[in-house]
Amino acid sequence: MLALIVVLIVGMMATSFMHLNASATSRQALSVDNKLSFYLAEAGLAEGFASLVAGRSGVVGSKDSPARFGDGVVWVAPTQLDARHIQLEAYGTCGRGSAYLSMVARQGHVDAAQLGIYTNQDLSLPVGTFVDGYDSTEESEAGRSGGWSGAPVAGEEDPPGVMAKLGSNGSISVSSSERSPTTVIGNLTYGPKGNADLIGRPIVRGSVTQSNAVFAFPAIEFPVVERGSDLEHRNGMPFMVDAGAHSFGRITVGSESTLVLTGPLSLVADSITAEAMSTLVVDERAGAVEIYVRETMRLAPRSTFEQLGSDPLGLRVQIDGDGTSELSADGALYGFVYAPNGTVQLGNTLECHGSLVADGLAIAAGASLHYDAALAKRASSASLPKVVSWRIVRIAEFAGAAAADGFAFDRTGQPALGEATENPSIEIECVDRSGDPLDYTGEWNDFSWAEVAKVSVLVKDGVPFTDAEITRLNQSLEERYLHSLEAAEEVAEKVPLETIDPTELNLAD
C-alpha cells in the first residue's frame, strides 16, 4: 500500500509538471506571436506613413484583405481627425498573437519662405538694386557671403556660392543704368502669362525661366492668444516684451523710444508702427521671434531696426492685411517677411537677409536683398507629414488559428506589404515640360509624374479633383521641379561637366 501511494503521488506530480510545462510553453509561444504581431503592426505604420509622404491616403490592405508580411498579415486604416491631422491604425497578427497600434500624423504645409523674393503681382527691380544669395547654415565663406559681391569684373567667371531666387506670378522687370547698375546673382522665374524685361542691360548671373503654374499663397494661421489692449510707448526707457505669447491691439513706438522683443516670442498685434527716431530691437538669440500683424506694419524713415542675432531662421513677420506696409528703417533684417494680401514698400536703408514674399512689392532704388537658402531647406521639411503621437492600443490573444474577433486569414494569394498600399485608378489630362498634351488612364503607380508640367483634369477612382486641389497639385509639381533643378545644379558644381552624360541625368530622382 505504501509503494502504491508513493507511485500515485509521483504520477500526480509528473502530470502536474507536464501541464505546467505545456502552459509555460504555450505562454512563451503566445509571447513570441505577440511580439511578431507588434513588429508587423509597426511595419504597417511605417508603410502607411510612407504613403502619406507620397501624397496618398495611408491605406495599407484592409480588414478583409490584409497585406502579407513575414509569417503574418497586417492592415492599416486611416481616419481624418481634422484638416491638418490624420490617424493611422495598424493591426498585425501572427499565429495566436495580435497587436493594434495607433499613430497621429500632422500633414505638412506649404511654407512660402522657400520662394525667396516673390510677388503675386508684377515684380519690378529699380536701378541700383543688388540681389544675391547665401546659405546661413554653411560653414564656408562662400556659403555665408554668397561667394561674390560688388561690381563684376570683365571676363570674370560666374560667381560661386548660392544663387538667389526671384519670382512672380505675373511679369518681372529689371532696370539698370550706367551710373546705378542693377546686379542680380540669382534665377528669375516669371508667371505663366507674364514676361521678363531686362531694361538698360542689368547684370543677371542666373537663368530666366517661365513658370507653368501660379503659386497660391497659403493663408496665415494666427496663434490663439487673448487680445490685449493697445501698446503706446513714448518713454526714454526701453520697453521689454518678454518671451512667451502676447497679443496687443495697436503697437506704437514713439520718437526717442525703444521697444525690445525677446524670443522665444509669439507676438500678435493689430498693427505695428515705429515712428521716426524710434528703435525696434529683436533679440532672437534665445529663441525665434514670430510676429503676426492683422493689418499693417510701418517702420518709418529715420527709425532704426536692430537685430541682435543674424539668423534668418529666428525671425518671421507675417502681415495679413490688404493695405501697404512700409519697411524703411535703418538697419538690417534677418528673417522671413510674408504679406500674402498686401503690398510691402522696402526702403534702401534696410538691408534684408532671408526671404520676402508679398502680394505686391515696391522696392526703392539702391536696395539690397540677400536670399538665404536655409529657409528653403526648412520649408522642404515643413511640407512633409510629421508624427505627432504614437501609442500601443492593444496587444491581445488570438484563440488558435481563428482570431478572437472572428478572423481567420489564409495568407495564400494575399499581396505583400509593399504592394498593398493604395493604388487608385486615375484619369488625367495634362501637359509635359515641352508643352505637349499628355493624357493617361490607368493605375496611379504606373504613371510617371516626372515630366508633368501642369494638370488640367484629374479623376481619382471616379471622383474629380476640385479646382483648389488641382491648383495645389500643380504647385507641388512646380516646387518638385524647381528642387530637382537645384539638385542638378549642385551635381554640376561637384562633378566636372565633361564627365556628365545629359541623357543619364534623371531630374526626377
Side-chain angles (χ1 to χ4, degrees):
M1 291 294 294
L2 180 60
L4 184 59
I5 291 173
V6 172
V7 170
L8 182 60
I9 292 175
V10 171
M12 293 175 62
M13 291 177 64
T15 303
S16 298
F17 279 120
M18 289 177 60
H19 282 291
L20 182 62
N21 182 65
S23 176
T25 302
S26 177
R27 286 198 301 271
Q28 289 177 352
L30 178 59
S31 176
V32 171
D33 287 344
N34 278 335
K35 180 63 70 174
L36 292 175
S37 300
F38 177 82
Y39 292 149
L40 282 167
E42 272 193 322
L45 281 182
E47 189 72 15
F49 185 75
S51 175
L52 292 179
V53 172
R56 304 181 197 171
S57 64
V59 172
V60 178
S62 66
K63 179 178 177 180
D64 298 325
S65 180
R68 168 177 50 85
F69 188 54
D71 294 330
V73 293
V74 61
W75 71 94
V76 179
T79 302
Q80 193 74 39
L81 301 179
D82 55 35
R84 291 287 302 279
H85 295 85
I86 187 169
Q87 176 176 290
L88 300 179
E89 297 173 296
Y91 305 83
T93 174
C94 179
R96 294 187 301 122
S98 71
Y100 168 26
L101 307 181
S102 176
M103 170 196 292
V104 174
R106 181 176 62 249
Q107 295 177 333
H109 65 279
V110 177
D111 190 347
Q114 63 185 312
L115 298 175
I117 295 90
Y118 200 96
T119 64
N120 184 44
Q121 303 176 22
D122 294 344
L123 175 62
S124 178
L125 299 182
V127 295
T129 305
F130 181 83
V131 183
D132 68 352
Y134 72 110
D135 189 339
S136 60
T137 61
E138 293 290 338
E139 295 293 335
S140 65
E141 184 65 28
R144 292 194 299 269
S145 66
W148 187 85
S149 62
V153 179
E156 180 183 329
E157 296 181 357
D158 287 342
V162 179
M163 304 291 279
K165 296 169 64 176
L166 297 93
S168 169
N169 285 336
S171 299
I172 296 179
S173 65
V174 182
S175 301
S176 182
S177 66
E178 293 185 4
R179 177 174 297 181
S180 300
T182 296
T183 302
V184 177
I185 309 174
N187 302 318
L188 304 177
T189 305
Y190 55 95
K193 296 184 179 180
N195 54 68
D197 294 326
L198 305 181
I199 306 169
R201 302 182 65 182
I203 303 167
V204 177
R205 298 291 184 89
S207 62
V208 180
T209 58
Q210 184 175 27
S211 172
N212 291 291
V214 172
F215 187 92
F217 290 173
I220 297 175
E221 296 182 6
F222 280 76
V224 179
V225 185
E226 184 177 355
R227 184 180 182 278
S229 58
D230 293 347
L231 171 61
E232 186 171 358
H233 178 54
R234 298 183 181 276
N235 191 307
M237 297 295 295
F239 185 89
M240 309 286 293
V241 178
D242 296 329
H246 303 278
S247 179
F248 297 94
R250 299 184 182 278
I251 297 178
T252 304
V253 186
S255 178
E256 306 294 338
S257 302
T258 300
L259 177 67
V260 181
L261 307 179
T262 305
L265 171 66
S266 179
L267 175 66
V268 182
D270 290 344
S271 64
I272 297 178
T273 301
E275 298 177 353
M277 307 303 292
S278 66
T279 302
L280 178 62
V281 180
V282 173
D283 184 1
E284 82 284 18
R285 294 173 298 179
V289 174
E290 298 185 349
I291 301 175
Y292 300 86
V293 183
R294 298 186 183 92
E295 298 174 7
T296 59
M297 180 175 183
R298 181 171 183 262
L299 305 181
R302 295 189 299 127
S303 65
T304 301
F305 180 86
E306 182 179 353
Q307 199 165 334
L308 301 185
S310 59
D311 182 9
L313 299 177
L315 174 63
R316 292 174 69 90
V317 180
Q318 303 187 68
I319 307 170
D320 195 44
D322 57 3
T324 299
S325 296
E326 183 180 6
L327 305 179
S328 299
D330 298 335
L333 184 150
Y334 294 82
F336 171 46
V337 179
Y338 182 50
N341 305 311
T343 299
V344 174
Q345 289 183 355
L346 179 63
N348 56 16
T349 57
L350 183 66
E351 192 168 358
C352 287
H353 302 254
S355 177
L356 177 55
V357 179
D359 179 66
L361 182 58
I363 302 175
S368 295
L369 300 96
H370 311 278
Y371 164 69
D372 186 3
L375 293 170
K377 295 179 181 178
R378 183 173 68 175
S380 298
S381 175
S383 65
L384 298 176
K386 298 291 188 300
V387 176
V388 177
S389 63
W390 182 96
R391 69 189 179 110
I392 300 174
V393 180
R394 174 173 59 87
I395 296 181
E397 179 181 354
F398 276 56
D405 292 336
F407 304 135
F409 300 112
D410 181 8
R411 297 174 66 252
T412 305
Q414 295 292 351
L417 179 60
E419 302 170 352
T421 53
E422 180 194 32
N423 188 21
S425 61
I426 59 173
E427 300 177 18
I428 184 171
E429 297 179 9
C430 57
V431 294
D432 60 18
R433 290 288 164 186
S434 301
D436 298 328
L438 177 63
D439 298 337
Y440 171 81
T441 300
E443 295 184 339
W444 183 293
N445 291 346
D446 296 333
F447 180 68
S448 175
W449 295 87
E451 293 301 321
V452 176
K454 185 176 182 180
V455 176
S456 55
V457 176
L458 178 60
V459 179
K460 175 183 174 183
D461 284 338
V463 179
F465 272 36
T466 64
D467 292 340
E469 291 173 329
I470 291 289
T471 300
R472 285 196 296 269
L473 176 61
N474 287 329
Q475 179 176 310
S476 176
L477 290 172
E478 185 68 17
E479 292 173 5
R480 186 176 304 176
Y481 176 68
L482 293 176
H483 285 317
S484 68
L485 290 181
E486 293 177 357
E489 290 177 358
E490 293 180 3
V491 171
E493 290 177 0
K494 297 177 180 178
V495 183
L497 292 178
E498 59 270 15
T499 67
I500 298 178
D501 183 355
T503 62
E504 297 180 357
L505 188 60
N506 189 345
L507 295 182
D509 294 336

